[in-house]
Amino acid sequence: MSLCYAYYPGCSGLGTSLEYDISTRALCRNLGIELVDIPDWNCCGSTPAHAVDHLLSACLVGRNLGIADDMAEARELDGIITPCPSCLKNLKTTQYRLADPEFHRKVELVVGRPLRADLPIKSVLQVVVEDLGLQALAQLVKAPLAGLKVVPYYGCIMVRPPRIMQFDDPENPMALDNLLTELGAEVLPFPLKTDCCGASLGTTRKDVIAKLSGRILDAAEEAGADAIVTACPLCQMNLDMRQSQINKANHSGHNMPVFYYSQLAGLAAGQGETSTMLDKLCVSPRPLLAALAGHTGEGA
Amino acid sequence: MSSSPKAFDTEFIAEVQRESEQNLALCYQCGNCTAGCPVSFAYDYPVNQIMRLVQTGRKQEALSSHAIWLCASCETCTTRCPNDIDVARVMDVLRHMARRENIVSEKAVGAFWKAFLESVEKHGRVFELGLMANYVGKTGRMFTDVDLAPMALRKGKLGLKAHDIKKLAEIRGIFDRYREQK
Ligand code: SF4
Ligand code: SF4
């Protein structure tokens, strides 16, 4: 079975989460999932658009859905995928609301073209665990992450609201847990796996981030984790790039690497730096990985 | 809008119902939404009270609350409401209405969203550095993440140039037609 998807990278993949984009593409390539970028895609408007107006949000998403419609005319596609939960939620919410004919008509009017918008829309994570299956992943593992203790952090909207996201369990998802176990890591139980990190309030209300992301870092440390693993660019930025701000605000001393799951998949597959891009992480994982390699007697 | 706020504004209730497509009468104030809301600690009204303000037509209080701007859109309330009310969507709709009436209780949040969308309109994608400069200009605040800038730049996480899309005219067209529709 060969899978081919229209790929929506999302704006953060061009900058703040470049390593997520690159490692995701590498993972898909290795798994035989073909990604075709949605040509000339535009920003979905993220939270600001839906917070300002639902029609505007749907129209920004709508342009991308329209381009994907055209792609599907030209070749067979299994659907649209994106690594970013925030983009995913906007794509899926728009598709859901377009089922209302009145709203559909309005959106087509503003976008300036007819829209089918009927391709399945999924996260890369969902495609890997559901469409492909973890057995396929297991075949990639050359250097299992033995001894690495991690907590899986899904963030809030990868699985919520369930009516729209249609993926895993909204209170206790297991996709990431299972995936990381398959990579050989020790996955610790983590009750905060779907708690909010403070999302886009990072720029405007640092007190909220310090409290919410701080709580996640505290809990990860208490659980005995060496690292946190995320699937969301915004969560990763709040926990990793803002970790020093959080430490300052909370008088804490966390030094906890925050990986993307795709980076760890690359590591377990024995891939080099060009696709795992570990140097992009603000809290360096080097000492941790060196210590692990020391324990297992392998080279770093 | 009338100049003296009505104590029980039925028009407001109907408007929130219509725009959110939710039946607000279903809320029986169980407090589940508030129990799960991560930002409750920073709210002036917890989210179940916002629901109550809407049910009782207290437009001014609802629209001038800080809570509606601090909501992180995490969808916990929507997921856990026993009556299947899309509470997060109601919060969205209250923000839409507040903006239309020029009530922005959290100025920084409003300014950030505005700067974000201006970046999208201008480039088709978000240009982070430009967005930050615009945000600083709007709020008069010094770049509040100035401590992170060296790290972000060193890691190549703050793009120095915009990634404009090719068909910018299409994006401009969308914004223009959207404004005409409103
Ligand atoms: S969870 Fe639902 S029913 Fe309960 S208070 Fe909140 S909105 Fe009302
Ligand atoms: S969506 Fe908003 S109101 Fe609802 S739980 Fe999350 S932060 Fe609170």
Side-chain angles (χ1 to χ4, degrees):
Chain A
M1 177 183 59
S2 130
L3 296 169
C4 178
Y5 287 92
Y7 183 62
Y8 183 76
C11 296
S12 63
L14 298 170
T16 46
S17 70
L18 192 65
E19 68 273 38
Y20 192 23
D21 184 58
I22 303 273
S23 55
T24 296
R25 289 177 193 271
L27 175 64
C28 289
R29 196 178 322 114
N30 289 335
L31 290 169
I33 302 169
E34 191 183 345
L35 303 180
V36 186
D37 283 31
I38 295 180
D40 209 38
W41 58 271
N42 61 272
C43 173
C44 69
S46 192
T47 303
H50 74 71
V52 164
D53 195 288
H54 288 150
L55 178 63
L56 177 62
S57 173
C59 293
L60 288 172
V61 172
R63 179 175 176 272
N64 298 309
L65 292 176
I67 303 173
D69 280 349
D70 296 341
M71 295 168 74
E73 298 267 312
R75 66 170 298 173
E76 205 172 309
L77 286 176
D78 292 288
I80 302 174
I81 56 174
T82 177
C84 171
S86 177
C87 300
L88 180 72
K89 189 182 132 194
N90 274 346
L91 285 162
K92 291 193 71 113
T93 303
T94 299
Q95 186 176 54
Y96 183 83
R97 290 196 184 144
L98 284 176
D100 172 0
E102 173 68 17
F103 189 68
H104 198 129
R105 196 188 52 82
K106 267 197 202 161
V107 173
E108 285 183 339
L109 221 63
V110 175
V111 179
R113 59 162 293 162
L115 297 171
R116 277 200 319 279
D118 54 359
L119 288 165
I121 301 171
K122 293 174 182 176
S123 65
V124 177
L125 179 66
Q126 183 172 14
V127 167
V128 171
V129 298
E130 287 182 358
D131 296 5
L132 212 77
L134 289 174
Q135 303 87 324
L137 191 74
Q139 285 167 11
L140 287 187
V141 178
K142 309 234 156 38
L145 306 170
L148 182 65
K149 297 202 199 78
V150 296
V151 287
Y153 178 57
Y154 297 75
C156 41
I157 53 173
M158 182 66 102
V159 288
R160 287 177 181 157
R163 191 187 310 160
I164 288 179
M165 301 311 270
Q166 311 250 350
F167 174 49
D168 215 326
D169 184 295
E171 298 294 350
N172 186 23
M174 289 301 289
L176 207 48
D177 296 61
N178 297 338
L179 181 145
L180 292 165
T181 304
E182 203 64 58
L183 298 178
E186 183 182 340
V187 183
L188 305 168
F190 193 46
L192 269 54
K193 57 167 80 163
T194 60
D195 277 28
C196 178
C197 66
S200 62
L201 290 165
T203 311
T204 48
R205 287 290 300 254
K206 299 206 186 316
D207 55 325
V208 174
I209 301 291
K211 176 135 178 172
L212 298 182
S213 285
R215 191 164 66 187
I216 289 158
L217 289 163
D218 293 346
E221 186 136 344
E222 271 161 39
D226 301 324
I228 299 174
V229 187
T230 74
C232 171
L234 197 52
C235 301
Q236 201 279 342
M237 182 161 78
N238 282 338
L239 293 169
D240 178 41
M241 193 175 354
R242 296 191 184 283
Q243 202 172 115
S244 54
Q245 286 181 336
I246 294 166
N247 278 335
K248 206 179 289 170
N250 297 351
H251 308 289
S252 54
H254 295 298
N255 186 33
M256 171 90 53
V258 185
F259 295 101
Y260 288 106
Y261 77 90
S262 47
Q263 289 180 298
L264 287 185
L267 212 58
Q271 280 166 21
E273 292 283 331
T274 41
S275 59
T276 51
M277 298 193 108
L278 296 175
D279 273 343
K280 287 274 174 192
L281 303 182
C282 296
V283 176
S284 172
R286 298 283 167 207
L288 168 64
L289 296 176
L292 273 181
H295 276 298
T296 53
E298 288 164 21
Chain B
M1 198 182 74
S2 66
S3 52
S4 66
K6 284 177 262 180
F8 186 82
D9 190 335
T10 46
E11 221 171 280
F12 168 64
I13 305 173
E15 203 176 335
V16 180
Q17 289 248 140
R18 191 175 58 245
E19 285 193 31
S20 69
E21 300 173 354
Q22 304 302 305
N23 181 357
L24 304 164
L26 290 177
C27 170
Y28 50 37
Q29 288 293 307
C30 68
N32 253 335
C33 49
T34 297
C37 176
V39 206
S40 253
F41 74 94
Y43 281 5
D44 44 359
Y45 297 97
V47 56
N48 73 297
Q49 279 184 28
I50 296 279
M51 290 298 288
R52 192 72 188 140
L53 288 176
V54 179
Q55 273 185 330
T56 53
R58 281 153 71 181
K59 179 174 177 175
Q60 277 305 315
E61 282 147 290
L63 296 192
S64 57
S65 72
H66 288 255
I68 57 173
W69 297 94
L70 295 176
C71 162
S73 298
C74 75
E75 304 282 350
T76 310
C77 49
T78 295
T79 304
R80 294 184 187 168
C81 175
N83 296 316
D84 253 338
I85 302 170
D86 190 341
V87 189
R89 186 161 181 201
V90 173
M91 294 295 268
D92 251 355
V93 164
L94 292 173
R95 289 189 279 260
H96 304 167
M97 295 173 76
R99 264 179 85 88
R100 292 204 295 265
E101 311 231 347
N102 277 319
I103 313 169
V104 183
S105 294
E106 286 282 325
K107 297 272 180 291
V109 176
F112 181 71
W113 289 346
K114 191 156 189 280
F116 189 101
L117 291 175
E118 282 171 7
S119 187
V120 176
E121 183 166 3
K122 196 160 163 206
H123 305 287
R125 294 176 189 164
V126 170
F127 169 41
E128 284 154 331
L129 209 59
L131 158 64
M132 282 306 170
N134 186 352
Y135 170 69
V136 172
K138 281 193 166 54
T139 53
R141 288 187 178 196
M142 207 14 233
F143 180 15
T144 47
D145 279 330
V146 81
D147 53 326
L148 295 181
M151 167 73 90
L153 286 170
R154 197 166 67 244
K155 298 275 175 192
K157 295 211 162 206
L158 212 51
L160 292 176
K161 69 180 200 318
H163 299 266
D164 287 14
I165 66 168
K166 291 196 203 86
K167 295 180 181 156
L168 271 176
E170 292 186 7
I171 292 293
R172 308 264 159 84
I174 287 174
F175 274 90
D176 288 347
R177 286 188 293 273
Y178 156 72
R179 287 193 193 100
E180 281 161 25
Q181 280 264 314
K182 285 277 131 181

